[in-house]
Amino acid sequence: MVCFRLAPVPGSGFLLLCLVLGAVSSYALELNLTDSSKATCLYAKWQMNFTIRYETTDMHNKTVTISDLGAATYNGSFCGDDQNGPKIAVQFGSGFSWIVNFTKEASSASTYLVDHISFSYNTNDNTTFPDAKEKGVFTVNYRVALKIPLNEMFRCNSLSTLENSDVVQHYWDVHVQAFVQNGTVSTTEFLCDKDKTITTAVPIIPTTVPSPTKPVVGSYSVVNSNGTCLLATMGLQLNITHDKVASVFNINPNTTNATGSCQPQTALLRLSSSNVKYLDFVFAVKNENRFYLKEVNVTMLLVNGSVYSISNTNLSYWDAPLGSSYMCNKEQTVSVSGAFQINTFDLRVQPFSVTEGKYSTAQECSLDDDTILIPIIVGAGLSGLIIVIVIAYLIGRRKSYAGYQTL
């Protein structure tokens, strides 16, 4: 027998999934699995979402974030028997399924394992995966082998991530106990390593007034088999509004890792750090002769321990000809949504056609273009001169007219 409910994240006040200004919300899944005598044999409560990257028919890469688990079912979940261990099976959305298996350790009578996790998605769903090049059901498997003491509740409020080249899985607020004894869920908690140190962790994002300091400029690059294929130099400042609280977070290049990929029509720069799981900049080619910033995806951990995720796949920034770089020294804002903006400083980026690991000639942004000031200054000067001449002429005529009257 399976008993389950879908509970909203505390403070949300809604029964349905809410997307507020593009920010991804999520729900706590809760499963109370009982045996034939209606005694609890497995209890779990957790939150999760998924980010999937797939290739389209026009050879571009698209990213979709799956966080709407509102119609979840738990068919196939069971307590386990002499041959098989307990299993949680969740189905949601249009063809998504998630399974976690538990096993007892043969070498120990006091512990069990979160053995492996599998996640399946169906790209035949054109609504979720529009223009997917490869159609079908795809499954990713992860060997976890997490050891948990029997008769203890495993707890991990911190963000945990499983990742391969196409799928990123995020878990947080996890509470689970398999092999429940005598139908009673334990009140003793076994903490994950991140939760053991969370009390001494330095706050990640301030919740007071935004910091006025300019971010440090960092240099990032992506390398493939042909050498350096993407270059980026910039200072990054993230502006976040979450639960009516505005925060500013500067990216520190000294503690940030840069990875990515380069394709003929798309290029990816992924920045990650201890609290920013990933900050993706996706570039694309348009009209076969220009490139631009098409997409930004971010998932990060906020100071209150919650996960903040947002994505916009329909941007149009940093436009420049192929074979050149884009440069903007002045402060520039990339508006991903009403709740998330990125301020850039001393920006220079070249996602395609990098030669010998060096930037090509830059196309400057309009903010940097001072040449427009020259005709404005000249025009203003000429206008002023004309006004002075007209005024002098009028004064001269007036004096002349007054002189004739005297005679």
Side-chain angles (χ1 to χ4, degrees):
M1 178 181 179
V2 178
C3 303
F4 59 89
R5 63 187 177 95
L6 186 65
V9 174
S12 67
F14 293 91
L15 182 61
L16 300 178
L17 177 75
C18 296
L19 294 180
V20 182
L21 296 176
V24 176
S25 302
S26 188
Y27 279 73
L29 298 168
E30 185 172 4
L31 171 65
N32 185 42
L33 191 62
T34 58
D35 58 22
S36 57
S37 62
K38 296 186 179 180
T40 298
C41 62
L42 186 152
Y43 176 81
K45 183 178 180 180
W46 73 105
Q47 296 189 64
M48 63 182 179
N49 65 24
F50 306 86
T51 300
I52 305 168
R53 184 178 297 275
Y54 68 97
E55 187 177 5
T56 61
T57 53
D58 57 358
M59 306 301 290
H60 289 79
N61 288 324
K62 280 191 175 181
T63 301
V64 59
T65 298
I66 309 299
S67 59
D68 185 354
L69 313 181
T73 58
Y74 297 77
N75 299 323
S77 300
F78 80 115
C79 295
D81 52 30
D82 294 337
Q83 286 77 37
N84 300 288
K87 177 173 68 174
I88 299 174
V90 186
Q91 304 83 37
F92 55 93
S94 53
F96 298 101
S97 67
W98 180 83
I99 297 173
V100 55
N101 292 90
F102 305 89
T103 60
K104 277 191 176 180
E105 276 200 297
S107 59
S108 173
S110 61
T111 59
Y112 69 93
L113 296 176
V114 180
D115 194 6
H116 65 272
I117 293 175
S118 64
F119 172 66
S120 299
Y121 58 98
N122 189 351
T123 57
N124 287 307
D125 176 16
N126 292 323
T127 301
T128 307
F129 302 98
D131 306 318
K133 179 181 178 182
E134 296 186 29
K135 300 290 187 178
V137 178
F138 297 87
T139 301
V140 291
N141 295 286
Y142 300 89
R143 172 71 172 170
V144 180
L146 174 64
K147 186 182 296 186
I148 301 173
L150 283 170
N151 303 322
E152 292 187 19
M153 173 74 71
F154 173 73
R155 191 200 81 185
C156 195
N157 292 329
S158 302
L159 177 68
S160 301
T161 302
L162 296 176
E163 182 175 2
N164 68 7
S165 58
D166 296 320
V167 177
V168 179
Q169 304 184 38
H170 300 294
Y171 306 96
W172 65 100
D173 293 341
V174 176
H175 297 75
V176 62
Q177 183 182 356
F179 301 101
V180 174
Q181 304 296 305
N182 302 319
T184 303
V185 176
S186 176
T187 58
T188 303
E189 292 185 332
F190 176 75
L191 305 184
C192 65
D193 291 339
K194 288 184 178 180
D195 278 15
K196 291 176 183 177
T197 58
I198 197 168
T199 55
T200 59
V202 177
I204 295 166
I205 299 178
T207 56
T208 56
V209 295
S211 170
T213 60
K214 182 178 176 181
V216 177
V217 176
S219 296
Y220 311 100
S221 63
V222 176
V223 178
N224 62 11
S225 58
N226 296 321
T228 301
C229 59
L230 183 152
L231 292 171
T233 303
M234 51 190 168
L236 294 172
Q237 188 175 77
L238 310 185
N239 294 268
I240 302 167
T241 302
H242 184 65
D243 291 338
K244 298 182 180 180
V245 177
S247 321
V248 176
F249 175 68
N250 289 344
I251 295 293
N252 182 0
N254 298 321
T255 58
T256 300
N257 296 319
T259 58
S261 61
C262 299
Q263 305 295 333
Q265 297 294 317
T266 60
L268 165 67
L269 172 64
R270 167 168 288 188
L271 304 181
S272 58
S273 62
S274 59
N275 56 297
V276 178
K277 181 55 189 175
Y278 60 82
L279 173 59
D280 287 352
F281 296 91
V282 181
F283 302 87
V285 174
K286 68 176 181 180
N287 302 327
E288 302 301 325
N289 61 0
R290 301 187 71 86
F291 71 83
Y292 69 105
L293 177 66
K294 181 179 184 296
E295 181 179 338
V296 168
N297 309 297
V298 65
T299 292
M300 61 189 300
L301 189 65
L302 299 181
V303 69
N304 61 4
S306 64
V307 176
Y308 185 88
S309 296
I310 203 165
S311 177
N312 190 331
T313 62
N314 194 32
L315 300 175
S316 184
Y317 291 96
W318 306 351
D319 188 302
L322 282 176
S324 67
S325 59
Y326 176 86
M327 183 169 68
C328 197
N329 292 318
K330 301 287 180 62
E331 179 180 353
Q332 189 179 31
T333 300
V334 175
S335 183
V336 181
S337 78
F340 182 73
Q341 298 86 36
I342 302 174
N343 293 339
T344 63
F345 301 81
D346 300 316
L347 168 71
R348 190 169 187 180
V349 62
Q350 185 170 345
F352 300 98
S353 307
V354 176
T355 303
E356 297 180 352
K358 298 179 181 178
Y359 284 109
S360 300
T361 303
Q363 173 168 310
E364 295 187 52
C365 65
S366 58
L367 295 173
D368 285 355
D369 189 2
D370 294 331
T371 57
I372 193 173
L373 294 176
I374 297 175
I376 292 175
I377 294 172
V378 172
L382 290 175
S383 298
L385 180 60
I386 291 172
I387 291 172
V388 170
I389 293 173
V390 170
I391 291 173
Y393 172 74
L394 292 175
I395 292 173
R397 284 197 61 186
R398 189 172 182 180
K399 287 183 177 180
S400 299
Y401 179 74
Y404 286 124
Q405 289 293 324
T406 302
L407 290 172

